[in-house]
């Protein structure tokens, strides 16, 4: 408990980098005679972490070939280029892309697109994208975005957060609570795998994305107040849709036709999704069920895709060399992905961050601290299940607004697992919604990387983000609780305390 408190303090205050704090268990746990060095280090590269690292590498391949930009710009052209249509188009495409690549990369990619769109609107004197200087004086010569501009920036930041909750590989917290759950209950029949996660979270993500658009339209774009100055300004903006469309079309044309490089990356990305979904879906035999001599988990499908990205060449010229008499290639062809790009663009430190949490969770179980906490909270046995779920989800959302998501998940989920065992509640009923809740940070830049990226990129003050995050926090909390009472029992029907949890 002392070590966990030290790590929590360091994670929250960031007196040293988050990733460095996550290395403390490697020397502290053996020195305190809790876990051996071998067992401690094994927690830093479990199956869940290999899957996470592989998904980051696949995401970097999508960035490397600019497939994400093509998808974003094409969607904007299909949706329309009036201010309201642009807004929903940017939100929807950001939410979708964030399901498959990291939230940070998605937000960083969308910020320049938003800036270009807003500048085009300002150039044509359609919208005022800066606040008056008497209301918000420039800081170091940089003006503050108007409420309309903030609606676009908040839209992509919050959509990245919401979209990341849609798939198992969408954000680090999803794989964190999956790894913590599997480490605590290795014999669990309730599996947190790709198809179960997708079925649980996707309906909620779709509804949350629509509600995000509506909430920002109401608070920042004058929806429902047609006589307000903001609403009238947005209405005038609709008249310049053709001009904005021409600007977006110009950016899209700069990408040129879809290359063989993009086609091959798209193919391997879709193959990875198919392999993850069909590994062992539960409602039918999966491909992993045919190789039943040893257990095959999710990391195999992801790493197969990673190897393919480095194995196959960027172009298809090699077909011309498949002849017995040549001609033969005179130089090595570039692969679909290069190691230099991966080395510079993959956030390797996240692996240590997740691994440190897994090591602390393993140590809390081995030392008896987890059992101690569970027994201390056994008084909650008289509470209804729904009340405990409300408390768990609310705690996750509240805490994650003040610190990074993954450390909060590492702190909260082990406590909730022991609480579930102590009060004889199915652990998946607490772990799943609370794990998702630790991603829902909308109020402060420190809460999650997308918030920090848009705040720094656009120069948005924290007070405006705190205000904008009120409605998203409310509806994401409500939707999580609705999902717990609906989709959860379709995916995980059992409400009884399971046999696999009684043995621990």
């Amino acid at each position: 408990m002392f070590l966990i408190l030290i790590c929590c303090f360091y994670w929250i205050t960031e007196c040293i980098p988050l990733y460095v704090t996550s290395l403390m268990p490697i020397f502290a746990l053996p020195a305190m005679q809790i876990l051996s060095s071998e067992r401690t280090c094994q927690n830093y590269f479990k199956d869940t972490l290999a899957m996470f690292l592989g998904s980051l590498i696949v995401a970097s391949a999508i960035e490397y070939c600019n497939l994400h930009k093509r998808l974003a710009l094409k969607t904007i052209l299909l949706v329309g280029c009036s201010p309201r249509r642009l807004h929903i188009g940017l939100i929807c495409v950001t939410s979708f892309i964030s399901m498959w690549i990291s939230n940070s990369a998605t937000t960083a990619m969308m910020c320049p697109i938003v800036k270009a769109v807003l500048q085009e609107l300002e150039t044509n004197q359609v919208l005022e994208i800066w606040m008056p200087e008497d209301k918000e004086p420039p800081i170091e010569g940089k003006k503050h975005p108007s409420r309309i501009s903030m609606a676009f920036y908040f839209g992509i930041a919050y959509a990245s957060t919401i979209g990341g909750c849609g798939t198992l590989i969408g954000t680090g917290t999803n794989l964190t609570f999956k790894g913590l759950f599997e480490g605590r209950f290795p014999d669990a029949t309730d599996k947190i795998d790709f198809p179960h996660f997708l079925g649980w979270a996707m309906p909620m993500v779709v509804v949350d994305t629509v509600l995000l658009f509506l909430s920002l339209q109401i608070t920042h774009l004058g929806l429902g107040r047609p006589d307000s100055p903001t609403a009238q300004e947005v209405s005038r903006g609709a008249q310049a849709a053709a001009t904005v469309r021409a600007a977006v079309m110009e950016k899209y044309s700069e990408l040129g036709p879809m290359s063989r490089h993009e086609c091959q990356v798209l193919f391997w990305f879709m193959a990875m999704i198919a392999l993850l979904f069909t590994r062992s879906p539960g409602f039918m035999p999966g491909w992993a069920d045919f190789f039943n001599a040893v257990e095959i988990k999710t990391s195999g499908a992801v790493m197969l895709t990673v190897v393919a990205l480095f194995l196959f060449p960027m172009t298809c010229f090699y077909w011309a060399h498949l002849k017995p008499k040549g001609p033969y290639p005179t130089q090595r062809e570039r692969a679909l992905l290069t190691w230099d790009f991966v080395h510079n663009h993959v956030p390797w430190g996240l692996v240590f961050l997740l691994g440190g949490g897994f090591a602390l969770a393993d140590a809390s179980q081995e030392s008896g601290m987890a059992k101690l906490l569970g027994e201390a909270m056994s008084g909650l046995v008289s509470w209804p299940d729904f009340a405990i779920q409300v408390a768990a989800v609310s705690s996750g959302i509240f805490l994650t607004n003040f610190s990074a998501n993954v450390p909060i998940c590492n702190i909260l989920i082990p406590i909730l697992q022991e609480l579930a065992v102590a009060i004889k509640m199915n652990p998946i009923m607490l772990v799943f919604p609370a794990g998702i809740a630790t991603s829902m940070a909308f109020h402060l830049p420190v809460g999650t990387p997308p918030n920090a990226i848009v705040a720094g990129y656009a120069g948005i003050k924290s007070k405006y983000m705190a205000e904008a995050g009120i409605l998203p926090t409310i509806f994401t909390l409500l939707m999580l609780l609705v999902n717990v009472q609906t989709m959860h029992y379709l995916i995980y029907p059992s409400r009884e305390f399971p046999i696999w949890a009684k043995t621990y």
Side-chain angles (χ1 to χ4, degrees):
M1 188 176 291
F2 171 75
L3 179 60
I4 288 177
L5 289 174
I6 292 294
C7 289
C8 290
F9 178 77
Y10 281 19
W11 274 329
I12 292 171
T13 61
E14 295 191 50
C15 55
I16 61 175
L18 293 173
Y19 310 135
V20 178
T21 301
S22 303
L23 299 176
M24 290 176 65
I26 295 179
F27 67 83
L29 292 177
M32 300 167 84
Q33 301 182 29
I34 298 173
L35 295 179
S36 67
S37 293
E38 186 73 19
R39 182 169 169 181
T40 301
C41 292
Q42 286 174 355
N43 284 287
Y44 283 79
F45 209 74
K46 301 169 72 172
D47 174 80
T48 302
L49 281 171
M51 178 186 178
F52 176 63
L53 180 59
S55 66
L56 291 177
I57 295 175
V58 174
S60 70
I62 295 174
E63 293 181 62
Y64 184 57
C65 68
N66 279 329
L67 183 61
H68 59 321
K69 289 185 179 179
R70 184 179 299 278
L71 176 62
L73 294 172
K74 188 65 176 178
T75 303
I76 292 170
L77 291 172
L78 291 174
V79 171
C81 294
S82 68
R84 296 199 193 278
R85 287 176 175 244
L86 277 171
H87 194 224
I88 192 171
L90 289 165
I91 285 176
C92 288
V93 72
T94 303
S95 182
F96 177 77
I97 293 175
S98 186
M99 295 178 189
W100 315 106
I101 69 175
S102 74
N103 303 348
S104 303
T106 303
T107 308
M109 179 268 292
M110 293 301 294
C111 277
I113 296 176
V114 169
K115 183 178 180 180
V117 168
L118 292 174
Q119 286 178 339
E120 196 64 32
L121 292 171
E122 183 191 37
T123 301
N124 290 276
Q125 299 181 343
V126 175
L127 296 176
E128 182 57 53
I129 67 172
W130 306 109
M131 273 193 183
E133 293 188 7
D134 57 344
K135 187 174 182 180
E136 282 292 349
I139 299 177
E140 296 181 358
K142 189 174 183 179
K143 297 180 180 179
H144 194 281
S146 66
R147 289 188 67 81
I148 293 176
S149 298
M150 286 191 287
F152 283 84
Y153 284 113
F154 289 148
I156 61 171
Y158 297 165
S160 291
T161 296
I162 291 171
C165 298
T167 66
L168 192 55
I169 60 176
T171 186
T173 51
N174 298 347
L175 289 166
T176 299
F177 75 78
K178 166 186 163 65
L180 292 171
F181 179 80
E182 292 177 348
R184 178 65 176 86
F185 307 108
D187 300 324
T189 55
D190 292 331
K191 301 293 185 182
I192 303 179
D193 53 20
F194 197 87
H196 285 88
F197 195 102
L198 195 68
W200 197 102
M202 187 56 68
M204 179 190 68
V205 167
V206 172
V207 175
D208 280 348
T209 302
V210 174
L211 291 176
L212 171 64
F213 165 72
L214 293 175
S215 68
L216 290 174
Q217 287 283 320
I218 292 169
T219 58
H220 288 71
L221 294 175
L223 183 65
R225 305 186 304 277
D227 296 330
S228 66
T230 301
Q232 293 177 359
E233 191 176 358
V234 170
S235 297
R236 290 194 300 271
Q239 302 171 7
T243 304
V244 178
R245 181 180 178 82
V248 176
M249 181 67 78
E250 182 180 355
K251 281 188 168 296
Y252 186 78
S253 62
E254 289 174 1
L255 297 175
M258 195 167 182
S259 65
R260 291 187 178 95
H261 186 190
E262 292 174 83
C263 291
Q264 290 187 85
V265 171
L266 179 61
F267 168 79
W268 284 110
F269 173 72
M270 298 302 296
M272 181 188 75
I273 301 302
L275 288 170
L276 287 171
F277 192 85
T278 58
R279 181 188 65 86
S280 185
F283 56 86
M284 59 175 284
W287 57 266
D289 298 323
F290 295 100
F291 301 94
N292 56 5
V294 295
E295 185 179 11
I296 300 178
K297 293 190 175 182
T298 50
S299 59
V302 179
M303 286 303 176
L304 172 64
T305 307
V306 170
V307 172
L309 291 172
F310 286 99
L311 180 63
F312 286 90
M314 185 184 296
T315 63
C316 295
F317 297 147
Y318 62 93
W319 289 108
H321 304 309
L322 297 181
K323 300 176 182 178
K325 295 184 179 180
Y328 302 115
T330 57
Q331 60 184 5
R332 180 179 179 178
E333 291 197 37
R334 294 170 62 190
L336 297 175
L337 184 60
T338 66
W339 186 254
D340 286 341
F341 188 87
V342 171
H343 177 73
N344 293 325
H345 289 79
V346 170
W348 305 99
L350 286 173
V351 175
F352 298 128
L353 189 58
L354 271 65
F358 293 161
L360 290 175
D362 191 10
S364 67
Q365 178 65 28
E366 180 69 18
S367 66
M369 189 209 78
K371 183 179 180 181
L372 180 68
L373 285 176
E375 292 174 349
M377 294 183 291
S378 59
L380 298 179
V381 68
S382 59
W383 285 30
D385 288 351
F386 182 69
I388 298 174
Q389 289 170 329
V390 171
V393 169
S394 301
S395 299
I397 290 179
F398 175 77
L399 292 172
T400 198
N401 276 286
F402 299 96
S403 184
N405 310 133
V406 174
I408 294 298
C409 188
N410 279 323
I411 296 166
L412 183 64
I413 296 303
I415 296 174
L416 294 178
Q417 289 178 158
E418 301 312 319
L419 171 62
V421 172
I423 64 176
K424 307 302 180 191
M425 181 180 182
N426 193 329
I428 198 76
M429 294 172 64
L430 278 183
V431 170
F432 214 124
I436 295 289
T438 57
S439 292
M440 301 297 188
F442 303 109
H443 287 284
L444 297 172
V446 71
T448 190
N451 293 0
I453 290 171
V454 296
Y457 186 87
I460 300 174
K461 292 186 176 180
S462 296
K463 64 179 181 180
Y464 294 107
M465 183 172 288
E467 174 204 348
I470 294 174
L471 283 181
T473 297
I474 292 172
F475 69 69
T476 50
L477 171 62
L478 294 177
M479 281 307 304
L480 267 171
L481 297 175
V482 168
N483 224 45
V484 162
Q485 301 302 314
T486 53
M487 290 304 300
H488 182 91
Y489 293 115
L490 293 177
I491 306 299
Y492 302 107
S494 175
R495 301 190 184 203
E496 303 297 325
F497 187 61
I499 297 176
W500 45 261
K502 294 178 182 178
T503 57
Y504 293 90

